[in-house]
Amino acid sequence: PDGAITLGTLPSDPCTVLEVADNGTGIPPTALSRIFDPFFTTRLRARGLGLVPVVGLVNSCGASLQIESEPDKGTTVRIYFSE
């Protein structure tokens, strides 16, 4: 979908899905395309690895990740674990 980023291949077989959603400010498309870049931030004084550790955890579990977001409508994160 538009406003989505996917890491890995979403399973077509039965799987377990962990979903977390909010109805916050969302992520602008320009930032969504970069959220997994090391040290990327939209905050002025932020430091750290950002979402890079999430990529490592998802990959080590053999899972896939999808993030959908629309500005002013919120963000949904889904992690797909193959059975």
Side-chain angles (χ1 to χ4, degrees):
D2 288 344
I5 187 167
T6 302
L7 293 176
T9 303
L10 299 180
S12 57
D13 297 334
C15 63
T16 300
V17 180
L18 172 65
E19 179 177 295
V20 178
D22 69 33
N23 59 354
T25 59
I27 304 169
T30 54
L32 187 63
S33 65
R34 298 189 57 210
I35 61 173
F36 295 112
D37 292 353
F39 308 109
F40 173 74
T41 184
T42 57
R43 298 177 186 200
L44 296 176
R45 295 183 182 240
R47 297 175 198 251
L49 295 174
L51 293 174
V52 172
V54 173
V55 175
L57 288 169
V58 168
N59 288 339
S60 70
C61 292
S64 301
L65 175 88
Q66 183 177 57
I67 299 178
E68 294 180 25
S69 189
E70 280 189 65
D72 301 319
K73 293 190 178 182
T75 301
T76 301
V77 177
R78 292 182 192 93
I79 302 175
Y80 297 83
F81 298 93
S82 296
E83 295 183 1

